[in-house]
């Protein structure tokens, strides 16, 4: 009997691929709200796109965002800084 390699319903190989892809992104890369949520999940911080939108509209919590025209973006560098902040507060 072969055991499934999953964690919280996610395939380990897929999680590893997501993490490697996220780690290779330059700090200046800009992501949409949905991409930012996937990036944070790959880095181990589970925040939904809806939560990011709420935080942005109430200007509380969450990573720094910027608006370019009508497009809201998150820089990879700001997302990494947020992950470090969350991890340091959890320790």
């Amino acid at each position: 009997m072969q055991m499934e390699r999953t964690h919280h319903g996610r395939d380990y190989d897929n999680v590893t691929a997501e993490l490697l892809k996220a780690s290779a992104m330059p700090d200046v890369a800009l992501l949409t709200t949905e991409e930012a949520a996937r990036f944070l999940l790959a880095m181990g911080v589970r925040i939904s796109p809806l939560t990011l939108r709420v935080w942005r509209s109430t200007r509380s919590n969450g990573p720094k965002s910027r608006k370019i025209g009508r497009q809201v973006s998150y820089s990879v560098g700001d997302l990494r800084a947020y992950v470090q902040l969350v991890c340091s507060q959890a320790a």
Side-chain angles (χ1 to χ4, degrees):
M1 180 175 176
Q2 184 177 4
M3 293 184 61
E4 287 185 34
R5 296 170 29 168
T6 60
H7 177 69
H8 297 288
R10 298 176 67 206
D11 182 10
Y12 276 128
D13 294 333
N14 192 24
V15 171
T16 302
E18 289 174 16
L19 183 56
L20 287 173
K21 182 179 174 184
S23 299
M25 295 181 102
D27 283 347
V28 296
L30 296 176
L31 305 177
T32 66
T33 302
E34 287 74 19
E35 291 168 337
R38 283 197 306 270
F39 177 90
L40 291 170
L41 183 60
M43 299 302 284
V45 178
R46 179 178 275 174
I47 298 173
S48 73
L50 179 60
T51 299
L52 288 173
R53 287 185 189 98
V54 169
W55 284 350
R56 189 173 64 241
S57 70
T58 60
R59 292 173 174 61
S60 63
N61 298 328
K64 181 180 173 185
S65 64
R66 52 185 54 81
K67 199 165 184 180
I68 302 170
R70 294 175 58 184
Q71 179 70 41
V72 175
S73 300
Y74 295 85
S75 78
V76 170
D78 290 337
L79 294 172
R80 285 189 177 121
Y82 181 73
V83 169
Q84 287 181 335
L85 176 68
V86 169
C87 290
S88 69
Q89 290 176 350

